[in-house]
Amino acid sequence: MSIETAIRESPATDRISSGIIDCDVHPQFNKGLADIVSYMTESWRTRLGFGADADWSKTFAAAQFVLPLDTLYINTAGPQRGDAVPPGGAPGSDPAFMAAQLLDTHGIERAVLIAGQLFGIGAFPDAEVAAVVASAYNDWQQERWLEFDERYRGAMVVPPQHPEAAVKEIERMGDKPGIVAIFLPLHDIAAGKHHYYPIYAAAQEHGLPIIFHPSGTENVYATAPRMAAAPTYYLEWHTGLGQIHQSNVMSMVCHGVFEKFPKLKILIAEGGFMWAIETMLKLDRDWRGLRNEVPWLNRRPSEYIREHVRFTTQPFPEPHDKAHLAPLLEMVYAAETLVFSSDYPHWDFDDPQRALNGIEPALRRRICVENGRALFGDRLN
Amino acid sequence: MSIETAIRESPATDRISSGIIDCDVHPQFNKGLADIVSYMTESWRTRLGFGADADWSKTFAAAQFVLPLDTLYINTAGPQRGDAVPPGGAPGSDPAFMAAQLLDTHGIERAVLIAGQLFGIGAFPDAEVAAVVASAYNDWQQERWLEFDERYRGAMVVPPQHPEAAVKEIERMGDKPGIVAIFLPLHDIAAGKHHYYPIYAAAQEHGLPIIFHPSGTENVYATAPRMAAAPTYYLEWHTGLGQIHQSNVMSMVCHGVFEKFPKLKILIAEGGFMWAIETMLKLDRDWRGLRNEVPWLNRRPSEYIREHVRFTTQPFPEPHDKAHLAPLLEMVYAAETLVFSSDYPHWDFDDPQRALNGIEPALRRRICVENGRALFGDRLN
């Protein structure tokens, strides 16, 4: 039996008894934007092309808005868990089915919902369109998910290309029951730039962490983030996503965002964390000589990351030698920075009882329960 | 009655009696790629995600390839003629319906088909995917359209990001009955670059003009052509498309493509031509001082354009003062360079009997009949 197989097949004996906080779960639509257009005004429905359209209009684009998602890098193994299909619906589309399959089965106490199909709204050229889609989603999430089961908690979505509308939306939704975070989809403006400061100010004021998540549009759309070279295959594309997070986290640290907004917390969802280790080490070393470039930093760069940035566990590293996992976790300060995520219902779902097996129990408990509680605070109650 | 109304409502008395060559007509699919996957191998169908997929897989991208088309700049008026919907199908999907509505009604002798939904295949990150899609389309076009009615003539599609495969495809399809041109979808590599020279060489060898057409992906996809500033609205996007053609034509002229390939002909379909007037005048003037930069040009730049580049009429300019049309046509050397196109079944379709009304008969005949015949030659017989 190979080492990898041994890790994967280790029995789920060392169970976390209760209280798991799952920080990256995706509610999804059955028919894309059509699921939420009822939360828009009639004039917006018309503007987006929903209304009198015949079916044929959809066979040639440009008659109806479509959510920008990845249609060029294709996971032909299927991007969803094959067994996560509720009767008559799409994976992640049914709150009751998800509650049974994910929450009940795995003893998950709170699941933080991150809009499963709004990842890419930063690619909309019209910022008002992104704002309207985000607001409709937030209303839909409130009604369909947060009011359905109190174990669901929501990240409200805001349009990254429209700070003014984003702030208004935070005012409108930020204190609604069940809201625990702000999901800020990625855009081609780096996260440390002034563009976003009104959003960060509002997030800090409301005590809401900001969540970043892969947009699914990297290297696909003109205004989406890019990797250093455009990948050809999904395999490359999926592996290279850490570049996007590295660039954004560096940008925030170096622009002094965490000095300007000292209570701001960032959660990198589904981004991995091994890139963050290199980022911390290199920033710290280079900063010794280059601090006059960023004189507003009063501490070593890694300290900002350690204090302000959190990482979800999925996708979790699987070292060839299992003994290498512990030093990786130490280097990323996992006892403070890692929070568990299953990424349900995506294809690379992690079972909380298995994915972290082999990690010593106190650390597992921090990752699965306590760090999530610390990040979202009273809003989880 | 305004001038514009007078032009639009002028009676269709001055009819072109016969022989019209319509140089931009779009056959379309009913269900996107699904229409042509039967022309692919089983392993390619699997690779593209067609096969065992449940319907829900389509509700979240990345399980199935989708043709890159414009899903961000939306024409909510509908991008197709409302009356061009055949029973049970999409506009442009039925050869018999199109023959009746377009060819019979308007006395069109030959319609050059340009793949209505493959405009954007230059955005596929995997060049092999683009090549396979192009080949399947060419087989489909042959069987469904060119063999159906001899008035249909086809532009075969090649993958712009894969010159080697494009040349092979020209060898495979270039001399099949009914093929009159090569449709080279746009890509973010400028048309004058060495990348394309194998394609131009093969086109020249086979006596096939190259057709460029808006990709529908401008400013949408990462590897699509871009405008100088990303537009917000469809209205801006549609108006700015001339930038793409200007850059490509300048690139070809300045790289000396027409010296290297002296028999090569280019047709700019659905690109307008007013930008070409400015391009010719500015190139000629600046070239006087800058000819040492492009010493391979043996003639004034405009002469290459006048000899090698053709423009379809649609979208046709509608000057506020109708008297201004004649000088525009003279400046673009319309008697040699313009060829008629209806752009059927798109929303901005031009009726050959009306769109060019008011142009003196001999010039109309050149545009509607003779220039197209000269461009495509014996392949129209």
Side-chain angles (χ1 to χ4, degrees):
Chain A
M1 188 184 282
S2 75
I3 291 166
E4 289 87 346
T5 314
I7 293 172
R8 287 207 170 279
E9 298 192 355
S10 56
T13 47
D14 180 23
R15 295 184 71 84
I16 293 280
S17 55
S18 69
I20 296 173
I21 315 295
D22 185 344
C23 298
D24 185 24
V25 172
H26 301 298
Q28 300 188 156
F29 302 136
N30 277 307
K31 297 189 172 192
L33 266 185
D35 280 29
I36 57 170
V37 292
S38 65
Y39 296 91
M40 300 173 188
T41 63
E42 179 59 30
S43 63
W44 268 110
R45 276 199 292 274
T46 304
R47 169 84 174 82
L48 268 54
F50 289 84
D53 291 300
D55 257 358
W56 56 260
S57 69
K58 293 171 198 157
T59 66
F60 181 19
Q64 195 173 67
F65 279 82
V66 173
L67 289 164
L69 282 166
D70 188 352
T71 55
L72 299 183
Y73 294 100
I74 303 302
N75 178 342
T76 47
Q80 318 286 353
R81 268 177 60 169
D83 65 342
V85 188
S93 66
D94 183 333
F97 185 93
M98 188 192 284
Q101 188 172 50
L102 175 66
L103 309 182
D104 298 347
T105 305
H106 299 290
I108 289 169
E109 188 172 298
R110 296 286 182 264
V112 178
L113 305 181
I114 301 176
Q117 280 142 313
L118 267 65
F119 299 150
I121 63 169
F124 278 128
D126 185 343
E128 303 288 348
V129 169
V132 163
V133 168
S135 292
Y137 175 84
N138 291 333
D139 288 332
W140 174 85
Q141 173 179 257
Q142 206 72 24
E143 197 173 304
R144 183 167 173 82
W145 292 85
L146 305 187
E147 291 173 12
F148 179 84
D149 188 321
E150 68 160 13
R151 289 174 294 179
Y152 294 129
R153 299 300 159 113
M156 56 168 291
V157 192
V158 297
Q161 63 277 69
H162 197 335
E164 188 186 342
V167 169
K168 273 192 195 159
E169 187 66 4
I170 294 169
E171 299 301 334
R172 184 177 81 92
M173 296 298 298
D175 295 321
K176 291 259 165 105
I179 296 297
V180 299
I182 295 163
F183 169 39
L184 181 59
L186 297 175
H187 189 51
D188 66 347
I189 298 175
K193 302 257 182 183
H194 291 79
H195 173 86
Y196 299 106
Y197 295 175
I199 301 176
Y200 297 155
Q204 176 174 273
E205 188 190 323
H206 287 265
L208 289 164
I210 298 265
I211 298 179
F212 292 117
H213 188 285
S215 72
T217 61
E218 290 83 0
N219 289 87
V220 175
Y221 286 98
T223 59
R226 311 279 180 97
M227 295 168 198
T232 298
Y233 303 104
Y234 183 93
L235 181 60
E236 294 173 86
W237 179 85
H238 199 244
T239 298
L241 287 169
Q243 291 183 21
I244 312 296
H245 300 299
Q246 180 183 47
S247 288
N248 280 320
V249 168
M250 287 194 299
S251 175
M252 296 183 88
V253 170
C254 293
H255 280 78
V257 165
F258 301 115
E259 286 289 342
K260 292 184 184 78
F261 306 102
K263 292 182 186 164
L264 187 66
K265 301 280 186 187
I266 302 295
L267 173 61
I268 307 289
E270 201 174 336
F273 58 81
M274 291 181 60
W275 55 268
I277 298 173
E278 182 184 14
T279 305
M280 287 194 277
L281 299 183
K282 290 189 80 173
L283 280 176
D284 281 0
R285 195 180 58 184
D286 287 3
W287 174 72
R288 287 201 204 108
L290 298 170
R291 58 207 298 171
N292 70 338
E293 199 181 25
V294 287
W296 39 81
L297 299 193
N298 296 315
R299 292 185 282 161
R300 285 192 305 167
S302 67
E303 293 176 42
Y304 295 104
I305 295 176
R306 186 173 170 183
E307 180 180 335
H308 293 276
V309 183
R310 299 293 173 259
F311 311 94
T312 68
T313 51
Q314 194 282 333
F316 202 67
E318 300 178 11
H320 296 179
D321 180 345
K322 208 175 171 181
H324 293 157
L325 184 58
L328 287 175
L329 294 175
E330 285 170 21
M331 283 189 281
V332 79
Y333 300 101
E336 298 154 40
T337 62
L338 287 202
V339 297
F340 171 76
S341 68
S342 68
D343 194 28
Y344 182 95
H346 288 178
W347 65 302
D348 42 2
F349 170 85
D350 272 350
D351 175 339
Q353 306 302 347
R354 288 182 181 277
L356 306 181
N357 240 340
I359 298 178
E360 57 97 8
L363 179 55
R364 278 184 69 196
R365 186 154 183 88
R366 289 195 70 90
I367 294 171
C368 289
V369 181
E370 293 160 21
N371 289 348
R373 288 227 155 255
L375 177 61
F376 299 109
D378 292 345
R379 286 177 180 260
L380 287 187
N381 295 340
Chain B
M1 187 184 284
S2 75
I3 290 166
E4 289 86 345
T5 313
I7 293 172
R8 288 207 169 279
E9 298 191 357
S10 56
T13 46
D14 180 22
R15 294 185 71 85
I16 293 278
S17 54
S18 70
I20 295 172
I21 315 294
D22 185 343
C23 298
D24 186 24
V25 171
H26 301 299
Q28 298 188 160
F29 301 137
N30 277 306
K31 299 190 171 189
L33 266 186
D35 280 29
I36 57 170
V37 291
S38 65
Y39 296 91
M40 300 174 189
T41 62
E42 179 58 30
S43 62
W44 268 109
R45 275 198 293 273
T46 304
R47 169 85 175 84
L48 269 54
F50 289 84
D53 291 302
D55 258 359
W56 56 259
S57 70
K58 293 171 197 154
T59 66
F60 180 21
Q64 195 173 70
F65 279 81
V66 174
L67 289 164
L69 282 166
D70 188 351
T71 55
L72 299 183
Y73 295 100
I74 304 301
N75 178 343
T76 48
Q80 317 286 352
R81 268 177 61 169
D83 66 343
V85 188
S93 65
D94 183 331
F97 186 93
M98 188 191 284
Q101 189 173 51
L102 175 67
L103 309 181
D104 298 347
T105 306
H106 300 289
I108 288 169
E109 188 173 298
R110 295 286 181 265
V112 178
L113 304 181
I114 301 177
Q117 280 141 314
L118 266 66
F119 299 151
I121 63 169
F124 278 128
D126 186 341
E128 302 289 347
V129 169
V132 163
V133 168
S135 291
Y137 174 85
N138 291 334
D139 287 333
W140 173 87
Q141 173 179 258
Q142 206 72 24
E143 197 174 304
R144 183 166 173 82
W145 292 86
L146 305 187
E147 292 172 12
F148 180 85
D149 188 321
E150 67 161 14
R151 289 174 294 179
Y152 294 129
R153 298 299 159 113
M156 54 168 291
V157 192
V158 296
Q161 63 276 70
H162 198 335
E164 189 186 341
V167 169
K168 272 191 195 160
E169 187 67 4
I170 294 168
E171 298 301 332
R172 185 177 81 92
M173 296 299 298
D175 295 323
K176 291 259 166 106
I179 296 296
V180 299
I182 295 164
F183 169 40
L184 181 59
L186 298 175
H187 188 51
D188 65 348
I189 299 175
K193 302 258 182 182
H194 290 79
H195 173 86
Y196 299 106
Y197 295 176
I199 301 175
Y200 298 155
Q204 176 172 276
E205 190 190 323
H206 287 265
L208 289 164
I210 298 266
I211 298 179
F212 292 117
H213 188 285
S215 72
T217 61
E218 291 82 2
N219 288 86
V220 175
Y221 286 97
T223 59
R226 312 279 179 97
M227 296 168 196
T232 298
Y233 303 105
Y234 184 92
L235 181 60
E236 293 174 86
W237 179 86
H238 199 245
T239 298
L241 286 169
Q243 291 184 20
I244 312 295
H245 300 299
Q246 180 183 48
S247 289
N248 280 320
V249 168
M250 286 194 301
S251 175
M252 296 183 88
V253 170
C254 294
H255 280 78
V257 165
F258 301 115
E259 286 290 342
K260 291 184 185 78
F261 306 103
K263 292 181 186 165
L264 188 66
K265 300 279 186 186
I266 303 295
L267 173 61
I268 307 289
E270 200 174 337
F273 58 81
M274 290 181 62
W275 55 268
I277 297 172
E278 182 184 14
T279 306
M280 287 193 278
L281 299 182
K282 290 189 80 173
L283 279 176
D284 281 0
R285 195 182 56 184
D286 287 3
W287 173 72
R288 289 201 204 107
L290 298 170
R291 57 206 300 171
N292 69 339
E293 198 181 26
V294 287
W296 39 82
L297 299 192
N298 296 315
R299 293 185 281 160
R300 286 192 306 168
S302 66
E303 293 177 42
Y304 294 104
I305 295 176
R306 185 173 171 184
E307 181 180 335
H308 293 276
V309 183
R310 300 292 173 261
F311 311 94
T312 67
T313 50
Q314 194 283 333
F316 202 67
E318 300 179 11
H320 296 180
D321 179 346
K322 206 176 171 180
H324 293 157
L325 184 58
L328 287 175
L329 293 175
E330 285 170 21
M331 283 189 280
V332 80
Y333 301 100
E336 297 154 42
T337 63
L338 286 202
V339 297
F340 171 75
S341 68
S342 69
D343 195 28
Y344 182 92
H346 288 178
W347 66 301
D348 42 1
F349 170 86
D350 272 351
D351 176 339
Q353 306 301 347
R354 290 181 180 276
L356 306 181
N357 240 341
I359 299 178
E360 58 97 8
L363 178 56
R364 278 183 69 195
R365 185 154 184 89
R366 291 195 69 91
I367 293 172
C368 290
V369 181
E370 292 160 21
N371 290 347
R373 287 227 154 254
L375 176 62
F376 298 109
D378 292 344
R379 286 177 180 260
L380 288 186
N381 296 339

